[in-house]
Amino acid sequence: MATPDTRTQLLDAAEHLFAEHGYRGTSVRAITKLAGANLAAVGYHFGSKAELMAAVARRVIEPINAAQCAGLDKLLARTPDPLVSELVEAFAGPLFDEMSAGDEGGARTSRLIVTILSDPAEEARSWTGPGEDTVRERYLAAFARVLPGLSPEELWFRIRGILAVTAVDRLEVHQQPSPGCTSPVAGEAARRWAITFLTAAMSAPPTRT
C-alpha cells in the first residue's frame, strides 16, 4: 500500500484537528506535526491555513453534494412532484451514508460537519463555492414547489436543520454515551426515524410573523 503524499497527509491531519478543536483552536504547527511535514508545507501546498480549511471541507462535502444531486436527478426523472419525504430522503440519505456508524471516517465527517455548522470562525463557513450553491438552489427550488407557503428564508432555515439534526445524531453514535443515558441507534432504524421527523419538520405550517 502506497504511503499517502504530503498533501494528503496534511488534509488528513487538518481534518482530524479541525474536527476536534475547531479552526481557531488548531495551529499550522499542530497540523504539520501530526502530518509529519515541515512547517512550510501548508503554505507550499495550500497557500494558507484558511485555504487548507477550504480543501478539507470540500473533500468531505463534495461526495455528499454529488450524491444529493444524483438522488434529486433520479427522483425528478420519476416525477416532477415528489413527496416531501422523498426530497428529505434524497437530501439526508447521503449524510447517513457518508457518516456511517462503526468507522472512524464516519465519525470524523460527523465532527467536521458539526464544526462547519457551529464554528464562529468565518473561515469555517467561507469555503463554499459554485458546487455547494448549486445543491442549495436545486433543493430550495424542489422544496419550494411542494411547500409553496414557506418563504425562501424559512425554507433554507429548515434545510439547514436537516444538516444539523443528521450531523448531531451521527456524532452521538460515535461517542461514548453518558452513564444512565440511552445509547443512540446506529442502524437503519435511526435513518427511518430521522426521515420521519425531518419530513414532519419540513412540512410544518409557515411560522406566523
Side-chain angles (χ1 to χ4, degrees):
M1 186 174 179
T3 302
D5 60 23
T6 300
R7 189 177 191 278
T8 300
Q9 290 174 320
L10 289 168
L11 285 167
D12 290 344
E15 182 178 328
H16 174 81
L17 292 170
F18 286 145
E20 291 291 338
H21 305 294
Y23 181 80
R24 291 174 182 160
T26 300
S27 67
V28 170
R29 184 177 296 277
I31 293 168
T32 53
K33 181 179 179 181
L34 184 60
N38 65 60
L39 196 57
V42 168
Y44 176 78
H45 287 280
F46 299 97
S48 67
K49 177 183 165 185
E51 287 301 319
L52 175 56
M53 175 74 211
V56 166
R58 290 192 188 106
R59 188 175 69 157
V60 167
I61 298 298
E62 282 176 355
I64 296 173
N65 286 167
Q68 287 170 327
C69 281
L72 186 57
D73 287 341
K74 184 177 179 180
L75 189 56
L76 295 178
R78 182 174 59 79
T79 173
D81 299 305
L83 301 174
V84 174
S85 60
E86 292 174 321
L87 287 171
V88 170
E89 172 71 38
F91 187 78
L95 294 165
F96 278 89
D97 294 338
E98 291 295 326
M99 295 187 284
S100 58
D103 73 80
E104 177 55 29
R108 204 164 50 239
T109 298
S110 304
R111 288 193 294 268
L112 187 67
I113 289 178
V114 170
T115 296
I116 290 169
L117 290 170
S118 61
D119 197 311
E122 178 63 27
E123 292 85 353
R125 300 185 303 279
S126 61
W127 56 270
T128 57
E132 291 73 35
D133 292 343
T134 297
V135 174
R136 179 187 64 193
E137 295 304 323
R138 291 193 67 198
Y139 272 93
L140 273 171
F143 275 114
R145 284 194 297 272
V146 296
L147 298 168
L150 292 175
S151 69
E153 294 79 11
E154 184 166 7
L155 189 55
W156 179 233
F157 176 87
R158 294 185 185 191
I159 293 173
R160 292 204 324 272
I162 295 177
L163 291 170
V165 167
T166 308
V168 169
D169 172 74
R170 296 295 85 195
L171 182 60
E172 288 193 350
V173 164
H174 298 287
Q175 293 176 333
Q176 293 295 322
S178 301
C181 292
T182 303
S183 298
V185 176
E188 184 61 27
R191 185 177 185 139
R192 294 197 305 271
W193 295 344
I195 300 304
T196 298
F197 170 75
L198 293 166
T199 297
M202 290 298 297
S203 303
T207 302
R208 294 181 180 179
T209 56

